[in-house]
Amino acid sequence: MPETILVVEDEISLQETLVYNLKKEGYTVEATGDGRFALEAARRLKPDLIVLDLMLPGLDGFEITRILRREMTTPVLMLTARDDEIDRVVGLEVGADDYMTKPFSMRELVARVKAQLRRARLMREELGTQALPAPEADILTFGNLNLNLTRREIVLDGEPLAVKPKEYELLVYLARHRGQMLSREQILQSVWGWDYFGDSRTVDVHVRWLRQKIEADPAKPARIVTVRGGGYRFEG
Ligand code: CA
């Protein structure tokens, strides 16, 4: 069955171009230019991916993602006209899975759509295998900070923290390389994957969010330290 993509874009010519190019790739595509219709369409269609413009009439992309995040795990590829919104777009506040800044090439957009759908498929397969009986909990401990690898949880002072999957994966990756300097590029490739097109700011944003959660003083990080001219190092 072809995968379904919901396109939410109020610039009609861009919407048409998106629909045309995605249909050409064999996807089932539905489009709307209004934020409120987008919510309704997402609930009805349960699409495999949403291409979502940030600035929309009705409800904007931030609000739509916030609402949908509570209801579904569908990957969101956010379109933004403004570079300075990227922190909010990839950060916890919105939690888009990927973003593109306008103008962009259709070739790149299609490549990113494919990458997101591939990741979502892998996640589903992984979740399928996780339904097997749980092994003994595998836990990494750093003082009052525990990473429960079985439950995919970050626990601080005995309390599980609310984190995005990428924050969890990033912290596990850093923790597994404790004491080692890791460049942003290394982190990006290992945690986000080779097919992720974002830049190293994505890493910085996620480190910042993690620090706010696990550091005693996020302004003077002692766990995830910045290495001058390099990247980051997990100290424990
Ligand atoms: Ca718009």
Side-chain angles (χ1 to χ4, degrees):
M1 225 174 70
E3 283 162 306
T4 304
I5 298 176
L6 173 62
V7 170
V8 188
E9 170 59 66
D10 60 319
E11 284 168 47
I12 291 305
S13 61
L14 179 55
Q15 184 195 104
E16 283 170 353
T17 312
L18 286 163
V19 171
Y20 172 80
N21 281 277
L22 291 169
K23 277 189 174 163
K24 212 171 65 180
E25 294 295 322
Y27 299 116
T28 302
V29 186
E30 191 162 314
T32 174
D34 183 283
R36 280 160 308 201
F37 296 149
L39 266 188
E40 182 271 320
R43 286 172 178 148
R44 175 172 45 82
L45 279 176
K46 306 241 183 311
D48 295 289
L49 180 132
I50 303 174
V51 176
L52 181 61
D53 185 31
L54 185 54
M55 298 311 286
L56 291 164
L59 277 174
D60 70 19
F62 286 135
E63 292 170 279
I64 293 170
T65 315
R66 223 173 349 247
I67 295 166
L68 288 182
R69 274 286 172 257
R70 290 187 231 125
E71 303 174 20
M72 53 188 87
T73 56
T74 312
V76 172
L77 171 54
M78 192 83 93
L79 307 179
T80 165
R82 291 173 52 191
D83 224 33
D84 59 353
E85 291 282 11
I86 289 166
D87 271 21
R88 293 181 68 200
V89 169
V90 298
L92 252 200
E93 189 179 350
V94 178
D97 297 273
D98 197 2
Y99 64 89
M100 297 190 78
T101 309
K102 295 176 186 176
F104 50 81
S105 81
M106 279 300 144
R107 227 177 105 231
E108 196 184 345
L109 177 118
V110 167
R112 291 199 190 195
V113 162
K114 285 183 179 166
Q116 283 301 327
L117 288 171
R118 193 159 54 235
R119 287 188 75 80
R121 273 196 302 273
L122 286 174
M123 284 278 258
R124 277 197 299 275
E125 284 163 22
E126 201 182 305
L127 283 175
T129 56
Q130 276 175 4
L132 297 168
E136 194 86 344
D138 194 0
I139 296 176
L140 303 178
T141 301
F142 308 96
N144 62 347
L145 177 70
N146 291 312
L147 308 184
N148 187 322
L149 304 181
T150 308
R151 302 179 57 160
R152 292 178 68 86
E153 256 176 10
I154 301 176
V155 179
L156 187 71
D157 291 323
E159 295 291 325
L161 298 177
V163 291
K164 271 173 62 75
K166 274 284 166 276
E167 288 178 292
Y168 168 83
E169 287 168 31
L170 171 61
L171 186 58
V172 168
Y173 177 72
L174 293 172
R176 281 189 166 142
H177 297 84
R178 186 183 188 177
Q180 207 177 314
M181 195 279 270
L182 301 162
S183 71
R184 290 176 175 79
E185 289 68 31
Q186 248 174 311
I187 296 171
L188 201 60
Q189 279 161 17
S190 303
V191 178
W192 277 264
W194 287 99
D195 53 9
Y196 182 76
F197 290 79
D199 57 40
S200 54
R201 275 176 298 181
T202 306
V203 176
D204 298 333
V205 171
H206 282 77
V207 165
R208 196 156 71 230
W209 290 116
L210 270 179
R211 279 174 172 164
Q212 279 163 12
K213 291 171 185 172
I214 65 165
E215 297 283 357
D217 179 1
K220 293 195 189 76
R223 295 199 131 122
I224 305 175
V225 301
T226 305
V227 183
R228 228 179 314 164
Y232 296 103
R233 189 176 62 230
F234 184 72
E235 295 287 7

